[in-house]
Amino acid sequence: MNKRIFLSAPHMSGNELKYIEKVFESNYIAPLGEYVNKFEESIKNYTGAPNALAVTSGTAAIHLALRVLGIGAGDDVLASTFTFIGSVNAILYQGANPVFIDSDKESWNLSPKLLNKYLCECEKRPKALIVTHLYGMSADIQKIADICRLHGVYLIEDAAESLGATFDGKHTGTFGDFGIYSFNGNKILTTSGGGMLVSGDRDWIEKAKFYSTQAKEPFIHYEHLEYGYNYRMSNVLAAIGVGQMEVIEERVAKKREIFEWYREFLGDNDEIEFMPELPDSRGNRWLTAMTFAHADHSVIMGALEEANVESRPLWKPMHMQKLFENSKRLVDGTSEELFQKGLCVASSTTMTKEDVKQISTIILENI
Ligand SMILES: Cc1ncc(COP(=O)(O)O)c(C=O)c1O
């Protein structure tokens, strides 16, 4: 294979440039403008979230959620340990303490059992939970939402990777007090960089908008009572987002098809286990993820790299990171094992069945 196959390359609908031209014609290049509103509307219509705010990144969206919820220095915030650091960096921005909860084998996402155990036994009640829907697959989110409600813990869903994924027909990102999506370069949809904060609470989204625009008080002169951030999405990037939203269902269908091709070529092998999909859920299969019972995944990665195919180990759990060596955690080895055994394989929506066949052959030759 000569042309590099990426894990998840940007894939435009074809209308993005046309919308960017309209932005240029209107000269609303800078933050705000009709495409920011259109992009927010399309996310609301698609996910069913009542309120949405387009921002510069998924990380910024999580930061705003924590700030609006009043989470600050010394507060404990629960989080999935099996995630990308973008889920939890904002906890540190707020001077709060992350507390990591392990995954379960049924979903590879946060374990509701461990969450409940922690909340029943902890001495200091955490203020919030940030739960990640990893690799586009829904966590056991209804149970998790019920546990949070029971214990009075705010729920923020990190749906950065899972736009289009549903549980019981309801979109990930809409079960919690807040949900966030990312439009970073390799996500299922991209705006080059960007994020969206959603919530059922209109006042919270208004407050987040206020913080995202330097916390300017509503006066003609510049009046400030609190500090804010420069987190609002640009109209140019929102125009890309509007074009991308036109093909979200197509992209989900293709990602799921790619997963089915991998399953067709690799599914019979006892060495290989795929990331599960919970009953009653639909994942977007952003990245096809798998574990190998005995094979060394670095050997497989090396062989794929030689064929110019990108792959990546599963996320190194947060509780294993030096940065968090002193953080509290409730872990049982599940995510550590996944990290040691697992790989994400190329899942770009431009890939063909032949690409997947060739990648699968390389995998089979190296296990
Ligand atoms: C699970 C997860 N959370 C948060 C983020 C942060 O999103 P962003 O890169 O838009 O800040 C990402 C992706 O980058 C992610 O994969």
Side-chain angles (χ1 to χ4, degrees):
M1 288 179 204
N2 295 324
K3 205 165 146 251
R4 186 158 177 78
I5 300 184
F6 291 98
L7 273 180
S8 184
H11 187 177
M12 296 296 106
S13 70
N15 284 331
E16 290 84 357
L17 262 181
K18 194 170 75 194
Y19 300 149
I20 290 174
E21 272 170 20
K22 288 197 174 158
V23 168
F24 273 68
E25 280 163 21
S26 74
N27 205 30
Y28 276 90
I29 309 290
L32 305 188
E34 71 168 310
Y35 279 91
V36 174
N37 301 337
K38 279 187 180 167
F39 189 29
E40 288 169 352
E41 283 305 311
S42 67
I43 288 284
K44 288 196 287 183
N45 290 338
Y46 179 67
T47 62
N51 307 282
L53 184 75
V55 292
T56 47
S57 69
T59 308
I62 296 174
H63 191 194
L64 289 166
L66 293 173
R67 178 81 191 275
V68 169
L69 293 174
I71 286 154
D75 289 335
D76 279 0
V77 177
L78 294 157
S80 303
T81 191
F82 194 37
T83 191
F84 171 62
I85 194 149
S87 303
V88 296
N89 267 334
I91 300 172
L92 305 183
Y93 302 168
Q94 287 303 99
N97 310 311
V99 178
F100 297 112
I101 303 291
D102 217 332
S103 298
D104 62 23
K105 290 192 169 56
E106 289 74 27
S107 67
W108 294 15
N109 278 308
L110 183 125
S111 160
K113 259 191 216 137
L114 291 182
L115 173 67
N116 195 47
K117 184 174 159 61
Y118 186 88
L119 286 169
C120 288
E121 294 173 1
C122 63
E123 280 168 14
K124 179 179 175 184
R125 193 178 60 181
K127 288 258 175 78
L129 164 69
I130 303 174
V131 62
T132 304
H133 301 283
L134 213 59
Y135 303 128
M137 308 308 288
S138 177
D140 202 349
I141 192 64
Q142 190 58 63
K143 255 188 226 159
I144 290 167
D146 292 345
I147 292 167
C148 284
R149 206 162 299 120
L150 192 73
H151 289 273
V153 170
Y154 289 125
L155 175 60
I156 299 166
E157 287 179 83
D158 180 347
E161 302 173 356
S162 72
L163 181 65
T166 59
F167 187 90
D168 262 342
K170 191 170 145 81
H171 277 266
T172 56
T174 64
F175 287 78
D177 295 290
F178 280 106
I180 75 99
Y181 304 105
S182 166
F183 309 105
N184 193 18
N186 67 2
K187 295 296 183 284
I188 190 162
L189 301 188
T190 184
T191 56
S192 152
M196 192 74 71
L197 180 67
V198 298
S199 177
D201 191 310
R202 192 158 162 236
D203 293 344
W204 280 349
I205 289 291
E206 282 304 314
K207 193 79 194 185
K209 189 189 267 186
F210 168 74
Y211 285 134
S212 72
T213 48
Q214 306 284 22
K216 278 200 291 271
E217 297 293 334
F219 297 100
I220 293 281
H221 65 271
Y222 283 74
E223 183 78 23
H224 296 278
L225 303 173
E226 293 178 84
Y227 69 90
Y229 319 93
N230 183 5
Y231 276 170
R232 204 71 163 108
M233 180 180 273
S234 109
N235 202 30
V236 180
L237 300 190
I240 303 176
V242 170
Q244 288 275 273
M245 279 304 286
E246 292 171 358
V247 289
I248 176 67
E249 274 302 303
E250 254 174 71
R251 296 291 181 266
V252 173
K254 183 64 192 277
K255 292 272 189 191
R256 290 182 63 83
E257 189 175 32
I258 289 168
F259 169 77
E260 287 305 331
W261 291 337
Y262 277 116
R263 191 147 70 174
E264 183 183 327
F265 296 125
L266 300 171
D268 288 342
N269 197 300
D270 292 342
E271 277 287 306
I272 296 173
E273 202 178 301
F274 291 101
M275 184 170 186
E277 182 171 55
L278 286 176
D280 304 320
S281 76
R282 176 187 82 153
N284 72 11
R285 292 284 180 197
W286 169 55
L287 296 182
T288 289
M290 62 185 82
T291 53
F292 304 98
H294 301 96
D296 180 347
H297 69 244
S298 60
V299 172
I300 300 168
M301 274 186 75
L304 289 169
E305 197 51 50
E306 254 175 53
N308 210 9
V309 177
E310 191 182 13
S311 62
R312 189 164 68 191
L314 300 186
W315 299 125
K316 181 174 181 177
M318 292 302 113
H319 73 270
M320 293 173 74
Q321 306 283 354
K322 176 96 179 130
L323 175 64
F324 297 120
E325 65 185 348
N326 297 320
S327 298
K328 289 190 262 187
R329 77 269 320 264
L330 181 58
V331 296
D332 63 6
T334 303
S335 60
E336 288 194 37
E337 195 180 339
L338 291 168
F339 168 60
Q340 271 145 19
K341 292 183 166 178
L343 214 56
C344 295
V345 290
S347 310
S348 289
T349 46
T350 45
M351 283 166 62
T352 63
K353 192 169 183 181
E354 191 51 36
D355 292 330
V356 174
K357 191 174 180 184
Q358 288 184 43
I359 293 168
S360 301
T361 304
I362 295 170
I363 292 171
L364 289 173
E365 283 167 358
N366 286 279
I367 57 174

